[in-house]
Amino acid sequence: LQLKMVKSEKMEVVSHLAASISHEVRNPLTVVKGFLQLLKKDCPDPKQKEYIEISIQEIDRANDIIINYLTFAKPAPENIKVLNIEEELKRAISIIEPMANMNSIQLNTKIDTHYIQGESQVLQQSLLNILKNSIEAMPNGGSLYIETKREQGRLSIKIEDSGKGMSQAQLSRLGEPYYTTKEEGTGLGMLTAIRIIESFKGKVEVTSTLKKGTTFNIYLPLFIGGNEEAAVTNE
Ligand code: ADP
Ligand code: MG
């Protein structure tokens, strides 16, 4: 069994880079896409038209990567709300459920109501990146277990898969920018997920055993500063 305490130093290095990428690169991509669409419209040659179509798709892919992985670089304090983790997890699960079903993955949950504070969209991104990895680690089926509990005054979210697992060497690289073992991977998902949890003043611990599975333990500060009714009306 391998244990990793994820540290923030290596994330800090790229957070500045990430901010520049999402702000500076999206504009030129939009311009290029616009011109490609114009070219495509007037293009008489089917072969050339196909090349333009592929170019547009690739621009969309690049845009997706920026939107999905680097948006955390631009926090929006006005979107910080009291969040019910039960609702947040259920929303994330509903998004990954079709993917889990397609891969014969059994989903088990033990999720309760707890309140935390943060930006819902950002939290979703972090949860989805972790859940997506768990599913991708079980290409031949398996089980995914998600549990919440209150632990030492904090919220603990456990996400446990029965997938490929990681070696000590792999685990120690988790969260490193561009580290991926996947053909089509970006190596940005974990970095983003961990960075987001840290921005919520939480932390992530990962344990993994090769060929057995991986467990993510996410710890977040509970919202205290009102009763639960107040928290609900804040939604
Ligand atoms: P990507 O998914 O694009 O490869 P990530 O940053 O999301 O990039 O993940 C980096 C790498 O960490 C993955 O390629 C994989 O090797 C490993 N990894 C992440 N989560 C898991 C998991 N639940 N089980 C096994 N390996 C994982
Ligand atoms: Mg990933």
Side-chain angles (χ1 to χ4, degrees), residues 49-67:
K49 208 167 181 150
E50 191 195 324
Y51 294 156
I52 295 170
E53 188 49 51
I54 292 168
S55 305
I56 292 172
Q57 282 167 14
E58 290 300 302
I59 297 255
D60 287 342
R61 184 169 127 79
N63 246 322
D64 274 355
I65 290 171
I66 290 167
I67 292 165

Side-chain angles (χ1 to χ4, degrees), residues 134-195:
S134 303
I135 289 175
E136 285 165 358
M138 301 184 280
N140 305 311
S143 63
L144 182 59
Y145 178 62
I146 303 164
E147 181 192 83
T148 61
K149 65 177 170 224
R150 196 181 284 244
E151 213 174 280
Q152 292 168 347
R154 299 175 302 181
L155 166 67
S156 138
I157 306 168
K158 187 202 287 205
I159 298 176
E160 192 176 271
D161 70 58
S162 65
K164 294 176 178 173
M166 285 172 269
S167 67
Q168 183 61 62
Q170 288 173 322
L171 189 61
S172 68
R173 296 196 61 188
L174 193 75
E176 196 176 288
Y178 312 112
Y179 168 67
T180 181
T181 57
K182 297 169 195 168
E183 201 123 324
E184 295 261 297
T186 61
L188 292 171
M190 279 315 306
L191 169 81
T192 311
I194 294 164
R195 186 84 182 77

Side-chain angles (χ1 to χ4, degrees), residues 42 80 94 106 141 166 189:
D42 303 323
I80 293 178
S94 72
Q106 178 95 39
M166 285 172 269

Side-chain angles (χ1 to χ4, degrees), residues 21-40:
I21 293 174
S22 55
H23 298 158
E24 310 284 332
V25 178
R26 279 170 75 183
N27 292 336
L29 285 180
T30 307
V31 174
V32 173
K33 186 177 170 180
F35 281 123
L36 285 171
Q37 279 167 332
L38 278 178
L39 283 175
K40 188 182 137 193

Side-chain angles (χ1 to χ4, degrees), residues 68-83:
N68 292 327
Y69 295 103
L70 302 174
T71 44
F72 70 87
K74 200 183 171 193
E78 67 273 18
N79 293 334
I80 293 178
K81 301 238 162 73
V82 175
L83 307 174

